[in-house]
């Protein structure tokens, strides 16, 4: 049986962006997924009723219909996740050491982050800025992605800290003590005994291992690297989500 994912609220893009056409397409895909979820649930309920009344053949037929709707739901959610990830992370919209998880369901965000961390480590990156949002557009204005990102960091033994912008998390990928952003009064990594580093605070918006672009040509190269990151991690993420969601009832 397919599983619905946690709805994150209506706003899928970084608040700094104004892209109504992309927002409409994202909403269309998520709405189609919710419609299929509703049809799936209705079929399963009718299947149970048919089984209870002794009509096994009808129960089986309705169950198969429900599974089909579940697969369609999963496919629409996959399309929405991939679409919003590309919109928020490709085309030079974020630096190469940053990942934007706006618009992802919690489960999707977890899978994407894990793959992004693997990619970053494999390519010698020392840190990662994770844009999780402040929860302003989520149900009850509660941050749902941020706690999951922190959980992933704890499970992987990585230091992390909320940045001055409460909607961003700095993740240290070195696996050992290292300079972290200065405390801004927000939460930091707990459970691993990790705190902020004792080095000097980064200057000019830079963090350890981050180099400031020198000219437009270098920025173009950075954009190509970001595109490579997106293209590298998305197929693996979508395969993992498909296996997790498309289980048999």
């Amino acid at each position: 049986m397919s599983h619905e994912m946690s709805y994150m609220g209506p706003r899928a893009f970084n608040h700094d962006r104004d892209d109504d056409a992309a927002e409409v397409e994202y909403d269309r895909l998520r709405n189609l997924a919710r419609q299929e979820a509703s049809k799936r649930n209705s079929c399963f309920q009718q299947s149970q009723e048919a089984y209870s009344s002794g009509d096994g053949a009808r129960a089986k037929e309705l169950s198969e219909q429900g599974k089909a709707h579940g697969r369609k739901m999963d496919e629409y959610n996959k399309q929405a996740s991939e679409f919003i990830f590309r919109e928020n992370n490709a085309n030079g919209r974020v630096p190469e050491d940053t990942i934007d998880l706006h618009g992802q369901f919690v489960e999707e965000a977890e899978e994407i982050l894990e793959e992004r961390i693997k990619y970053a480590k494999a390519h010698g990156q020392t840190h990662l800025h994770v844009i999780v949002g402040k929860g302003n557009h989520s149900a009850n204005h509660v941050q749902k992605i941020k706690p999951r990102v922190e959980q992933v960091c704890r499970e992987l033994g990585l230091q992390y800290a909320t940045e001055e912008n409460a909607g961003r998390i700095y993740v240290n990928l070195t696996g050992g003590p290292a300079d972290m952003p200065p405390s801004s009064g927000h939460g930091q990594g707990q459970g691993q005994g990790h705190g902020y580093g004792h080095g000097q605070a980064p200057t000019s918006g830079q963090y350890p291992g981050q180099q400031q672009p020198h000219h437009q040509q270098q920025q173009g190269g950075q954009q190509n690297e970001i595109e490579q990151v997106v293209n590298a991690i998305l197929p693996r993420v979508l395969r993992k989500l498909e296996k997790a969601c498309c289980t048999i009832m």
Side-chain angles (χ1 to χ4, degrees):
M1 175 180 175
S2 300
H3 299 282
E4 292 179 75
M5 296 185 182
S6 306
Y7 183 47
M8 294 306 300
R11 188 67 175 176
F13 292 91
N14 191 311
H15 65 278
D16 293 330
R17 289 191 55 196
D18 184 11
D19 194 340
D20 291 339
E23 190 84 42
V24 168
E25 173 61 12
Y26 171 82
D27 288 342
R28 183 186 74 85
L29 292 169
R30 289 300 194 194
N31 285 333
L32 287 172
R34 284 191 285 273
Q35 291 172 21
E36 293 298 330
S38 178
K39 294 176 183 178
R40 177 205 60 180
N41 294 343
S42 177
C43 285
F44 285 147
Q45 181 178 353
Q46 293 178 58
S47 175
Q48 292 176 354
E49 293 172 354
Y51 183 82
S52 297
S53 64
D55 192 346
R58 179 60 176 164
K60 182 177 180 181
E61 178 184 356
L62 287 167
S63 177
E64 292 301 321
Q65 291 178 13
K67 292 175 184 177
H69 286 301
R71 289 191 291 270
K72 290 182 180 179
M73 178 196 74
D74 292 335
E75 181 59 33
Y76 284 129
N77 275 329
K78 283 171 56 182
Q79 292 178 26
S81 174
E82 180 177 13
F83 174 77
I84 199 65
F85 186 77
R86 289 187 182 278
E87 285 294 317
N88 283 336
N89 290 275
N91 301 319
R93 291 195 171 104
V94 296
E96 63 179 2
D97 64 348
T98 302
I99 183 172
D100 190 339
L101 297 177
H102 273 94
Q104 302 294 337
F105 289 150
V106 173
E107 295 82 356
E108 295 167 345
E110 178 179 359
E111 297 287 353
I112 290 173
L113 178 62
E114 289 179 349
E115 290 297 332
R116 181 66 177 87
I117 289 175
K118 291 179 183 178
Y119 181 94
K121 286 185 172 182
H123 289 75
Q125 297 180 13
T126 60
H127 67 277
L128 191 65
H129 299 278
V130 185
I131 301 176
V132 296
K134 298 181 180 179
N136 294 335
H137 303 285
S138 298
N140 301 319
H141 303 290
V142 175
Q143 288 178 294
K144 295 183 178 180
I145 290 181
K146 182 180 179 182
R148 186 65 65 90
V149 169
E150 294 173 338
Q151 176 183 328
V152 168
C153 290
R154 290 193 297 269
E155 291 174 350
L156 296 177
L158 298 175
Q159 297 184 74
Y160 65 90
T162 301
E163 299 185 24
E164 184 175 356
N165 178 342
R168 290 167 56 102
I169 294 178
Y170 174 88
V171 181
N172 187 297
L173 302 177
T174 63
D179 289 340
M180 300 284 281
S183 176
S184 59
H186 298 293
Q188 68 183 61
Q190 301 293 334
Q192 294 292 333
H194 294 152
Y196 296 108
H198 301 292
Q200 295 296 320
T203 59
S204 302
Q206 289 184 271
Y207 290 89
Q210 178 181 0
Q211 296 181 348
Q212 192 73 12
H214 298 295
H215 44 67
Q216 191 67 30
Q217 183 177 0
Q218 184 170 349
Q219 290 179 349
Q222 182 187 66
Q223 177 176 337
N224 291 335
E225 290 183 11
I226 296 172
E227 293 282 0
Q228 291 174 6
V229 171
V230 172
N231 293 330
I233 71 174
L234 266 180
R236 294 198 297 269
V237 169
L238 295 178
R239 285 196 298 269
K240 290 176 68 176
L241 285 173
E242 184 174 17
K243 292 179 180 179
C245 295
C246 297
T247 55
I248 302 300
M249 182 179 178

